[in-house]
Amino acid sequence: MTLGTPPFRIKLTKVDQDMVEHYNRSSFHRNELLIPVRPFTLALADKKIEVSARQIIILPEPISRKIYLPIEDTDEKDDGSHGGHSEKLYAYILALGTPYIEAVTSEFIETPELKKIFDEPHALSFSFVTWQHMFQSLLQLKEELKRPEDALQKKMVFNIVSAILIELFRMFHSPTENQLQLSEREILAYEIKQYIQETYRKNITLQDIADHFNISTSTVNRVFQPYFHSTIYQFILDLRLNYARRLIENGQSITESWQQAGFNDYSNFYRAFIKHYHIRPHEVSKKRPDKDAH
């Protein structure tokens, strides 16, 4: 192999309903990292594993595998509220050929032990904070793969993949040291945050959140605030304002924007918007169409 030339491309793929059908029909898989963002079932030979978020599943090349989505999701029909068909994202799959992994292990300092993580399947569970760090690396890789392919792009991709594999090896080699043990309170705080981020555009209240987690409203704020330095009310308000402003910038009407962001009435939205951004909604600058897009 010529120095500085990747052995072949890696592949990062989104897992949604359409992709799963193709994935399960395939008889060939490379070494893969499966990074879930929603729960589903993974079948390896005659064994089924319930996969959840904050895990990374290591799948060696020769192992057969199939993905099964929750029945309620595969039966779910699009109601047209999103303007067309909308697939849920369940995971990302990072496929790596053996030559690519060997290149990583011989780059700069010989580290052949990194290849051992692909000796057999593994499911590594992470704390929310550690998993977020790994997931951000994956998103960075996703953006880098969109760039035009040149020497610098290839090097950046190679470096990100190398860092991910090194972190996984550390987790695999010293799980008790690196997998942070979260308290129940911390786990609950991050679960509340995730729930809010998924539902803030609906007319959710503090009581709705409390009911969802079967706790009191005072407990919701008491658990949430120390980790995110915000009350539930302010956190939801900030999410809605940011979303409404993005819609306005992209050409949506002000009325459509505040309604779609989850506000109940215009006056509350108007006052909150001025207080947050120090400008009125109609003063927001619209983004210009990208001339190169066509």
Side-chain angles (χ1 to χ4, degrees), residues 223-243:
V223 168
F224 185 86
Q225 194 161 351
Y227 291 98
F228 304 110
H229 311 291
S230 172
T231 63
I232 294 290
Y233 171 80
Q234 190 61 50
F235 187 73
I236 294 174
L237 181 61
D238 289 346
L239 287 173
R240 288 174 174 169
L241 288 170
N242 290 338
Y243 186 75

Side-chain angles (χ1 to χ4, degrees), residues 194-209:
Q194 184 172 351
Y195 176 72
I196 293 171
Q197 290 173 324
E198 292 175 351
T199 59
Y200 73 89
R201 291 169 56 194
K202 301 176 183 178
N203 188 26
I204 61 166
T205 64
L206 180 61
Q207 187 62 57
D208 292 331
I209 298 169

